[in-house]
Amino acid sequence: MDTPKLTIRPTDLATTEHLQAAGIHPLLARLWAARGVKRQEDVQLDWPAMLAPNTLTQAEQAARLLADAIHSGQRMLIVADYDCDGATACAVAMRALTDMGAIVDFLVPNRFETGYGLSPAVVELACQHHAGRPDLLITVDNGIASVEGVDAANAQGIGVIVTDHHLPGDQLPNALAIVNPNQPGCTFPSKNLAGVGVIFYLMLALRAELRTRGHFPANGGPRLDALADLVALGTVADVVKLDANNRLLVTRGLERMRRGLMQPGIRALFAVASRDPQAASAFDLGFALGPRINAAGRLSDMGLGIRCLISNDDMQALELARELDTINRERRQIESVMKEQALAATESVQDGPLGASVCVFHPEWHQGVVGLVASRLKEKFFRPTLAFAPAGDDELRGSGRSIPDVHLRDVLDLVSKRHPGLIRKFGGHAMAAGLTLGREDFDRFAPAFDLAVTELTGRTSFEPLIETDGSLEVGYANAHVANILEQQVWGAGFTAPLFLDEFQVRSQKLVGEKHLKLSVQRGHQRFDAIWFNHTDRLPEFVKIAYRLDQNTWNGVVAVQLVIEYAQGI
């Protein structure tokens, strides 16, 4: 990858002063203002500040349909997606609907057999479900593109309620109701709800509907805030933009985890990941718990992950979490081998400078892991990247990851227009996409993809940027401030603070054979620092982009700098 350019995020001084005057910590005020926070109300993260469920288009209509189904004893079947967002959304629906008296079970498609979403094949499986033929299908985290699947269900006399957050296509499915903030005409203020957030909102609307019917007393019914841990996990794991409403949902979920109030499956996942729920953070959800749920959908059956999340038995949940941990270890091993093969393949075909993109295929790769390989290669080369694996029937299934400069779905759309029939299926958004090719078409597709990237961007190379928050004030470089920052919710669209300062390296050594451990000094302050997965020694004087972290050793809590990038000065 080219040498990154270090930049400093602009600071809104007036807003910073306004937030400080409202009693917000001066450093948080500066960081929040730089991330678009304008008023103190934008960081009110208690339940009363949550956007109202009745503002989500068709939520009340769907709630009435569900209430009718509960009262008439109809059999419901939840059709889930096979990632962490889909699994947590399914668990929220299963728990809430069961508590509200529904007859409900779930079905999660196998990504290798029936593909994504409510397809006609999935409808056939639903009709043969072990819990009995359903009267009503409820999609979670999918369905907005399932035009044919909904038609197939309707032909079988099965109604469908779609809950989803993905962008719709030109045609909407003929469902009884569609709850999706991104559907045409929906005025819900947050377009960034994850799939789990959408179904959580629908469950709130359903409880309100059942209260009006006298099914529950006023303010009665199940405590749906008890599901906030699931909502937080799915929201962070799906990397949706953490706008104010999503930050509220994640904050409330983390708060319950820190108090020990969580589903047995969530507690078990913390245990197998060797993480402390009392110090739960968005980082834990995105990089420890989420991958263990996702691994089941990538290599095995996401039903395992869902059963872990809906179990009420601590021992059973722990057994399932251990299975998920084992699968995740296998996933990491497969991914590591595939990444090395991909790097070798990429470097072997590059006799000169890299092109505008990276496109790799290996006949022995696992299609459940190609997205992770694409992500790693994208990080290394800072170019839009596609990785392909065999998918049977002489097809290749590819997964892509992109960079801010390149809208990946638009590139694939251009290829499909320039070369009709070359891409058999594709879908996605700006930063990630999936597609299917004929096996014999890869050699023709790769240069067409590279040319389309160049045509849309006018560039054949891209400069990686590392955006920082500038220098950290000397008085805030301590463990107390590190704890304050760790208590906040950072993530997609609300990135964690990254500071930029000059240091003198006083000592450095390798630990674990792959991490650089340092002692660095700025002025009269000396810090421990670590650069994970970096083995090259640094010069004496360096500019470092770093995160503040707390390091506990023998009961003593001290500040540590986690290095993201460093360069000599």
mmCIF file of all heavy atoms in Angstrom, residues 461-483:
data_model
loop_
_atom_site.group_PDB
_atom_site.id
_atom_site.type_symbol
_atom_site.label_atom_id
_atom_site.label_comp_id
_atom_site.label_asym_id
_atom_site.label_seq_id
_atom_site.Cartn_x
_atom_site.Cartn_y
_atom_site.Cartn_z
ATOM 1 N N SER A 461 -4.872 4.868 -9.280
ATOM 2 C CA SER A 461 -4.306 4.630 -7.952
ATOM 3 C C SER A 461 -5.040 5.532 -6.965
ATOM 4 O O SER A 461 -5.641 6.543 -7.353
ATOM 5 C CB SER A 461 -2.803 4.919 -7.918
ATOM 6 O OG SER A 461 -2.560 6.292 -8.193
ATOM 7 N N PHE A 462 -4.964 5.147 -5.698
ATOM 8 C CA PHE A 462 -5.713 5.856 -4.667
ATOM 9 C C PHE A 462 -4.820 6.057 -3.452
ATOM 10 O O PHE A 462 -4.069 5.165 -3.053
ATOM 11 C CB PHE A 462 -6.963 5.066 -4.278
ATOM 12 C CG PHE A 462 -7.856 4.768 -5.438
ATOM 13 C CD1 PHE A 462 -7.717 3.577 -6.146
ATOM 14 C CD2 PHE A 462 -8.808 5.679 -5.862
ATOM 15 C CE1 PHE A 462 -8.515 3.288 -7.234
ATOM 16 C CE2 PHE A 462 -9.611 5.400 -6.952
ATOM 17 C CZ PHE A 462 -9.473 4.212 -7.641
ATOM 18 N N GLU A 463 -4.901 7.239 -2.887
ATOM 19 C CA GLU A 463 -4.046 7.591 -1.758
ATOM 20 C C GLU A 463 -4.779 7.305 -0.458
ATOM 21 O O GLU A 463 -5.821 7.899 -0.172
ATOM 22 C CB GLU A 463 -3.671 9.079 -1.819
ATOM 23 C CG GLU A 463 -2.752 9.515 -0.704
ATOM 24 C CD GLU A 463 -2.418 10.993 -0.779
ATOM 25 O OE1 GLU A 463 -3.314 11.788 -1.107
ATOM 26 O OE2 GLU A 463 -1.255 11.349 -0.504
ATOM 27 N N PRO A 464 -4.244 6.397 0.359
ATOM 28 C CA PRO A 464 -4.897 6.128 1.646
ATOM 29 C C PRO A 464 -4.742 7.308 2.595
ATOM 30 O O PRO A 464 -3.682 7.940 2.665
ATOM 31 C CB PRO A 464 -4.157 4.899 2.167
ATOM 32 C CG PRO A 464 -2.843 4.906 1.468
ATOM 33 C CD PRO A 464 -3.064 5.551 0.140
ATOM 34 N N LEU A 465 -5.803 7.599 3.303
ATOM 35 C CA LEU A 465 -5.811 8.689 4.273
ATOM 36 C C LEU A 465 -6.038 8.130 5.665
ATOM 37 O O LEU A 465 -6.842 7.211 5.850
ATOM 38 C CB LEU A 465 -6.908 9.705 3.957
ATOM 39 C CG LEU A 465 -6.850 10.444 2.618
ATOM 40 C CD1 LEU A 465 -8.069 11.331 2.452
ATOM 41 C CD2 LEU A 465 -5.571 11.272 2.526
ATOM 42 N N ILE A 466 -5.343 8.658 6.636
ATOM 43 C CA ILE A 466 -5.621 8.365 8.038
ATOM 44 C C ILE A 466 -6.057 9.670 8.677
ATOM 45 O O ILE A 466 -5.254 10.602 8.838
ATOM 46 C CB ILE A 466 -4.392 7.776 8.759
ATOM 47 C CG1 ILE A 466 -4.004 6.430 8.132
ATOM 48 C CG2 ILE A 466 -4.673 7.616 10.247
ATOM 49 C CD1 ILE A 466 -2.777 5.796 8.756
ATOM 50 N N GLU A 467 -7.323 9.763 9.011
ATOM 51 C CA GLU A 467 -7.869 10.990 9.583
ATOM 52 C C GLU A 467 -7.747 10.938 11.099
ATOM 53 O O GLU A 467 -8.206 9.995 11.736
ATOM 54 C CB GLU A 467 -9.337 11.160 9.174
ATOM 55 C CG GLU A 467 -9.884 12.542 9.462
ATOM 56 C CD GLU A 467 -11.269 12.753 8.868
ATOM 57 O OE1 GLU A 467 -12.019 11.766 8.771
ATOM 58 O OE2 GLU A 467 -11.610 13.907 8.529
ATOM 59 N N THR A 468 -7.125 11.959 11.669
ATOM 60 C CA THR A 468 -6.890 11.992 13.111
ATOM 61 C C THR A 468 -7.603 13.188 13.746
ATOM 62 O O THR A 468 -8.145 14.052 13.056
ATOM 63 C CB THR A 468 -5.386 12.083 13.422
ATOM 64 O OG1 THR A 468 -4.932 13.432 13.160
ATOM 65 C CG2 THR A 468 -4.576 11.099 12.583
ATOM 66 N N ASP A 469 -7.554 13.213 15.063
ATOM 67 C CA ASP A 469 -8.120 14.335 15.814
ATOM 68 C C ASP A 469 -7.043 15.297 16.280
ATOM 69 O O ASP A 469 -7.269 16.104 17.189
ATOM 70 C CB ASP A 469 -8.912 13.802 17.016
ATOM 71 C CG ASP A 469 -10.174 13.075 16.586
ATOM 72 O OD1 ASP A 469 -11.125 13.750 16.173
ATOM 73 O OD2 ASP A 469 -10.193 11.832 16.632
ATOM 74 N N GLY A 470 -5.851 15.203 15.647
ATOM 75 C CA GLY A 470 -4.783 16.119 15.998
ATOM 76 C C GLY A 470 -4.163 15.776 17.344
ATOM 77 O O GLY A 470 -4.305 14.678 17.881
ATOM 78 N N SER A 471 -3.466 16.734 17.891
ATOM 79 C CA SER A 471 -2.719 16.511 19.125
ATOM 80 C C SER A 471 -3.655 16.344 20.325
ATOM 81 O O SER A 471 -4.679 17.030 20.438
ATOM 82 C CB SER A 471 -1.774 17.683 19.374
ATOM 83 O OG SER A 471 -1.046 17.494 20.569
ATOM 84 N N LEU A 472 -3.286 15.416 21.203
ATOM 85 C CA LEU A 472 -4.023 15.236 22.453
ATOM 86 C C LEU A 472 -3.430 16.166 23.506
ATOM 87 O O LEU A 472 -2.219 16.148 23.760
ATOM 88 C CB LEU A 472 -3.920 13.784 22.922
ATOM 89 C CG LEU A 472 -4.555 13.471 24.286
ATOM 90 C CD1 LEU A 472 -6.066 13.705 24.250
ATOM 91 C CD2 LEU A 472 -4.253 12.039 24.703
ATOM 92 N N GLU A 473 -4.282 16.973 24.116
ATOM 93 C CA GLU A 473 -3.833 17.893 25.145
ATOM 94 C C GLU A 473 -3.079 17.132 26.241
ATOM 95 O O GLU A 473 -3.522 16.068 26.698
ATOM 96 C CB GLU A 473 -5.021 18.639 25.752
ATOM 97 C CG GLU A 473 -5.737 19.558 24.761
ATOM 98 C CD GLU A 473 -6.800 18.853 23.912
ATOM 99 O OE1 GLU A 473 -6.778 17.609 23.854
ATOM 100 O OE2 GLU A 473 -7.640 19.559 23.310
ATOM 101 N N VAL A 474 -1.952 17.681 26.683
ATOM 102 C CA VAL A 474 -1.081 16.979 27.629
ATOM 103 C C VAL A 474 -1.837 16.533 28.872
ATOM 104 O O VAL A 474 -1.669 15.416 29.369
ATOM 105 C CB VAL A 474 0.111 17.889 28.012
ATOM 106 C CG1 VAL A 474 0.923 17.258 29.142
ATOM 107 C CG2 VAL A 474 1.003 18.133 26.798
ATOM 108 N N GLY A 475 -2.721 17.358 29.364
ATOM 109 C CA GLY A 475 -3.433 17.037 30.602
ATOM 110 C C GLY A 475 -4.445 15.913 30.477
ATOM 111 O O GLY A 475 -4.942 15.411 31.498
ATOM 112 N N TYR A 476 -4.754 15.510 29.244
ATOM 113 C CA TYR A 476 -5.741 14.447 29.045
ATOM 114 C C TYR A 476 -5.099 13.104 28.686
ATOM 115 O O TYR A 476 -5.803 12.127 28.464
ATOM 116 C CB TYR A 476 -6.725 14.836 27.934
ATOM 117 C CG TYR A 476 -7.540 16.061 28.258
ATOM 118 C CD1 TYR A 476 -7.904 16.961 27.256
ATOM 119 C CD2 TYR A 476 -7.938 16.346 29.559
ATOM 120 C CE1 TYR A 476 -8.653 18.098 27.544
ATOM 121 C CE2 TYR A 476 -8.674 17.479 29.862
ATOM 122 C CZ TYR A 476 -9.033 18.351 28.851
ATOM 123 O OH TYR A 476 -9.770 19.468 29.146
ATOM 124 N N ALA A 477 -3.791 13.058 28.630
ATOM 125 C CA ALA A 477 -3.107 11.814 28.264
ATOM 126 C C ALA A 477 -2.918 10.953 29.512
ATOM 127 O O ALA A 477 -1.805 10.790 30.029
ATOM 128 C CB ALA A 477 -1.770 12.126 27.602
ATOM 129 N N ASN A 478 -4.022 10.419 30.025
ATOM 130 C CA ASN A 478 -3.960 9.620 31.251
ATOM 131 C C ASN A 478 -5.029 8.528 31.237
ATOM 132 O O ASN A 478 -5.910 8.505 30.361
ATOM 133 C CB ASN A 478 -4.122 10.510 32.489
ATOM 134 C CG ASN A 478 -5.397 11.349 32.434
ATOM 135 O OD1 ASN A 478 -6.489 10.816 32.331
ATOM 136 N ND2 ASN A 478 -5.243 12.676 32.497
ATOM 137 N N ALA A 479 -4.961 7.615 32.190
ATOM 138 C CA ALA A 479 -5.870 6.470 32.230
ATOM 139 C C ALA A 479 -7.308 6.898 32.496
ATOM 140 O O ALA A 479 -8.250 6.260 32.015
ATOM 141 C CB ALA A 479 -5.403 5.482 33.308
ATOM 142 N N HIS A 480 -7.498 7.975 33.256
ATOM 143 C CA HIS A 480 -8.855 8.438 33.539
ATOM 144 C C HIS A 480 -9.566 8.854 32.256
ATOM 145 O O HIS A 480 -10.712 8.473 32.014
ATOM 146 C CB HIS A 480 -8.804 9.610 34.529
ATOM 147 C CG HIS A 480 -10.133 10.272 34.740
ATOM 148 N ND1 HIS A 480 -11.191 9.649 35.375
ATOM 149 C CD2 HIS A 480 -10.586 11.508 34.367
ATOM 150 C CE1 HIS A 480 -12.228 10.467 35.407
ATOM 151 N NE2 HIS A 480 -11.893 11.603 34.807
ATOM 152 N N VAL A 481 -8.885 9.611 31.428
ATOM 153 C CA VAL A 481 -9.481 10.046 30.164
ATOM 154 C C VAL A 481 -9.659 8.856 29.224
ATOM 155 O O VAL A 481 -10.662 8.763 28.505
ATOM 156 C CB VAL A 481 -8.638 11.155 29.514
ATOM 157 C CG1 VAL A 481 -9.118 11.450 28.095
ATOM 158 C CG2 VAL A 481 -8.691 12.418 30.362
ATOM 159 N N ALA A 482 -8.706 7.937 29.239
ATOM 160 C CA ALA A 482 -8.859 6.724 28.425
ATOM 161 C C ALA A 482 -10.137 5.988 28.806
ATOM 162 O O ALA A 482 -10.863 5.485 27.943
ATOM 163 C CB ALA A 482 -7.651 5.809 28.597
ATOM 164 N N ASN A 483 -10.445 5.928 30.102
ATOM 165 C CA ASN A 483 -11.675 5.276 30.563
ATOM 166 C C ASN A 483 -12.906 6.036 30.091
ATOM 167 O O ASN A 483 -13.905 5.429 29.671
ATOM 168 C CB ASN A 483 -11.673 5.179 32.085
ATOM 169 C CG ASN A 483 -12.909 4.484 32.611
ATOM 170 O OD1 ASN A 483 -13.184 3.337 32.281
ATOM 171 N ND2 ASN A 483 -13.678 5.187 33.427
#
